[in-house]
Amino acid sequence: MELLLQLAVCVLLSRMISAEEIAENTSFIATKEWKEIKEGQGIPAGLHVRINLQTGKKEAKLITDNEEQLNAEQTNDESKNSNALITIYDSVDEEELKNSSRLRNSSEQLAIEHNSSEIEKIKNDYKSYKELRKTYEGMRKHFKTDAEIIVRLIEEFGDVITYNKQNDQSRLNAQLKILTNFNYLMSQYDNALTFVDQGGLERILLPLVVNQTHLSLKVEAMRVLGAMAQNNPKVQVKVYEKNFGPYLTQILLSSSNTEELSSALYALGSLLRKFPHAQQKILSTSGTQALVSLLGKDCELKIKAKAITLISDVVVEKQLIVINDDPVAAAQYAELNFPERLKDNWYCQTTDKLMTSYYHEFLKAPDLLEYFIHALESTEPFCNRIWGSSEQLYYTLNALQFEHGKSNNEYCNEVADLLRDITKKIRKYFKEL
């Protein structure tokens, strides 16, 4: 009986101890000294809490009267400065006061120096945001797309011809201005198509290229034609269908004017490049003759450089098709036998004579010489026998190589290297013969 009584007492005491531990763990009794906050213990509001950096444990204590006063002062300061643009400190350096006073005096002096009329002028020169927005809204009403501008220019060109028959000079200036605008617009792919769709080829360019006697108008028209056909297959087809090719080749055969020849070459090159059907039809008739004739014509060397570059480009274009083994493209170029047509029109002999005749010009113009070297390189396979038998050509190329090779100019040295390569090929046949 006594044993049972002792056991009951022990159980009761253990429960009381556990309850005290739980109470101690769940309720934190704060004092004026720092006291550790145990795991899971809740703390009342309004205590000063910190983490002891030495032990890494949380501690709390009651806030003293001095700490309450300091917090109140800080809160007061914050509320005073909350609406201020600049915080003003209690202590200001005397030097800062002097600087501030000096700045204020200088600003007042500036205000005095500018009288009211000057200030009014400044106000008139600069517009407010509202005024600027109003101006912009007015401008937006006059904005036009490129297509709308092209349609308007075509109509204006027709009006100039119809209503301005008296003053030839004013009509000429108006037409040139419109063509210049077209030249700028035609570099855009879609703009060129819009021009074609609106009848610009037959209404403006074809009459100017075929019938125009005024040189400046014809030149500008061919520039527009070249700009719109360049790298634009759809426009190339339309230009070809309007039969521009024969007219351009006729200009190359008959003209001696540098600007007319240059613009006609530009237009013809834009039409022919990457267009095998046009190459076949145009170069099989008078096209090849026109290009070769420029090499022997009495004209500027830069015109000859453009002509031989176009010849070289057409030759290389077909060579690349064969190398790339593209059966579809090869079928398109199958009928084009440009090298044979070049040989029939004495291209190899004409080039031989040109290179030897312009020796001194090539010494002064290595940039133009480079165009001719590249053309010799691409057309050498079907001209090697004729060039290999020409001692004068061989010695001319050697002399040019020597002169450009000893130059201090790096570009001239590169041209000399190109000359060395083509001379080696010609020398091979020269020795054989």
Side-chain angles (χ1 to χ4, degrees):
M1 186 67 180
E2 288 180 2
L3 182 59
L4 290 172
L5 184 60
Q6 288 176 0
L7 286 172
V9 171
C10 288
V11 171
L12 183 61
L13 287 173
S14 66
R15 287 181 178 177
M16 289 175 64
I17 291 169
S18 297
E20 287 176 1
E21 287 176 353
I22 292 169
E24 186 177 359
N25 285 334
T26 55
S27 63
F28 179 82
I29 300 172
T31 63
K32 291 185 179 181
E33 301 297 329
W34 291 105
K35 185 177 177 182
E36 181 186 341
I37 305 171
K38 295 184 178 180
E39 191 70 30
Q41 245 180 353
I43 60 172
L47 298 182
H48 193 169
V49 182
R50 76 175 186 183
I51 295 178
N52 192 323
L53 296 178
Q54 292 180 347
T55 63
K57 296 180 179 180
K58 294 179 183 178
E59 296 177 346
K61 71 170 186 174
L62 294 170
I63 297 177
T64 61
D65 295 337
N66 291 337
E67 288 176 332
E68 284 182 357
Q69 185 178 356
L70 183 61
N71 284 340
E73 288 175 359
Q74 287 176 349
T75 306
N76 252 349
D77 290 343
E78 288 174 2
S79 63
K80 285 178 183 176
N81 295 327
S82 62
N83 296 323
L85 291 175
I86 301 173
T87 304
I88 301 174
Y89 298 95
D90 293 335
S91 60
V92 180
D93 187 15
E94 185 178 349
E95 187 63 30
E96 291 180 2
L97 285 174
K98 288 180 181 178
N99 290 337
S100 176
S101 176
R102 199 177 296 118
L103 182 62
R104 184 172 62 254
N105 292 336
S106 63
S107 63
E108 289 173 358
Q109 184 65 27
L110 283 172
I112 292 169
E113 288 175 359
H114 288 84
N115 56 39
S116 58
S117 62
E118 289 177 339
I119 294 172
E120 194 63 32
K121 183 177 180 301
I122 292 171
K123 287 181 179 178
N124 292 333
D125 289 342
Y126 295 93
K127 295 182 179 180
S128 66
Y129 172 74
K130 190 177 290 186
E131 290 172 326
L132 288 172
R133 183 165 182 174
K134 186 177 179 181
T135 304
Y136 174 71
E137 291 295 333
M139 289 171 60
R140 286 184 60 184
K141 296 177 183 177
H142 302 288
F143 287 166
K144 292 185 181 297
T145 64
D146 285 354
E148 291 172 331
I149 293 172
I150 290 169
V151 172
R152 178 176 58 81
L153 288 174
I154 292 174
E155 292 173 355
E156 285 182 5
F157 196 90
D159 293 341
V160 168
I161 297 173
T162 304
Y163 301 112
N164 194 356
K165 295 183 178 179
Q166 301 300 323
N167 193 333
D168 290 340
Q169 189 59 45
S170 64
R171 183 175 72 248
L172 174 65
N173 292 338
Q175 288 177 311
L176 285 174
K177 184 178 179 181
I178 293 172
L179 289 173
T180 302
N181 290 330
F182 277 137
N183 196 3
Y184 171 76
L185 291 165
M186 290 306 106
S187 58
Q188 297 292 327
Y189 188 94
D190 292 335
N191 289 347
L193 293 177
T194 301
F195 182 84
V196 171
D197 292 340
Q198 294 298 321
L201 286 176
E202 55 269 25
R203 291 171 60 183
I204 297 178
L205 296 187
L206 190 59
L208 291 178
V209 172
V210 177
N211 301 320
Q212 182 55 240
T213 56
H214 202 289
L215 185 62
S216 58
L217 283 176
K218 182 181 285 189
V219 167
E220 201 60 43
M222 288 188 290
R223 287 173 180 166
V224 174
L225 187 65
M228 64 188 298
Q230 193 170 37
N231 296 320
N232 196 327
K234 292 182 179 179
V235 174
Q236 282 180 307
V237 171
K238 294 295 182 182
V239 171
Y240 172 76
E241 290 175 348
K242 297 300 178 184
N243 212 29
F244 276 91
Y247 296 117
L248 294 173
T249 57
Q250 185 59 39
I251 291 171
L252 295 178
L253 286 167
S254 60
S255 177
S256 58
N257 181 272
T258 299
E259 286 191 354
E260 188 175 14
L261 290 173
S262 178
S263 57
L265 266 174
Y266 174 47
L268 184 62
S270 298
L271 172 61
L272 293 180
R273 285 184 173 93
K274 299 179 182 179
F275 192 2
H277 182 71
Q279 292 175 15
Q280 167 62 21
K281 296 298 181 181
I282 296 171
L283 296 178
S284 63
T285 52
S286 60
T288 305
Q289 180 189 356
L291 291 176
V292 176
S293 70
L294 283 176
L295 301 180
K297 183 176 286 192
D298 184 16
C299 60
E300 293 186 13
L301 187 59
K302 65 179 182 179
I303 299 297
K304 298 177 186 292
K306 290 181 179 180
I308 203 167
T309 299
L310 179 55
I311 291 171
S312 174
D313 288 349
V314 174
V315 171
V316 171
E317 195 174 304
K318 184 173 181 179
Q319 289 174 351
L320 291 176
I321 294 297
V322 175
I323 293 171
N324 294 333
D325 194 22
D326 185 346
V328 176
Q332 294 175 337
Y333 284 86
E335 296 181 6
L336 177 63
N337 196 359
F338 190 43
E340 287 299 320
R341 299 198 177 279
L342 287 172
K343 289 196 294 184
D344 291 343
N345 284 276
W346 297 82
Y347 163 79
C348 303
Q349 294 88 338
T350 305
T351 309
D352 178 1
K353 184 178 179 181
L354 186 154
M355 295 301 297
T356 54
S357 301
Y358 283 83
Y359 171 77
H360 295 289
E361 288 80 356
F362 286 137
L363 284 178
K364 299 174 185 177
D367 54 333
L368 293 179
L369 175 58
E370 185 181 3
Y371 289 108
F372 286 90
I373 297 171
H374 288 307
L376 292 177
E377 185 76 27
S378 61
T379 56
E380 179 269 336
F382 57 85
C383 284
N384 46 40
R385 291 289 175 183
I386 294 173
W387 292 343
S389 63
S390 173
E391 292 185 17
Q392 195 172 2
L393 176 61
Y394 174 70
Y395 290 126
T396 299
L397 294 178
N398 262 330
L400 287 170
Q401 176 196 332
F402 176 76
E403 292 297 331
H404 286 299
K406 70 180 184 180
S407 172
N408 294 326
N409 188 306
E410 186 178 350
Y411 176 67
C412 290
N413 298 151
E414 292 176 0
V415 171
D417 291 339
L418 294 174
L419 282 165
R420 185 179 296 109
D421 294 338
I422 188 64
T423 305
K424 284 180 181 178
K425 293 182 179 180
I426 294 176
R427 185 181 182 185
K428 173 185 172 184
Y429 293 99
F430 181 70
K431 285 183 176 181
E432 289 178 0
L433 295 170

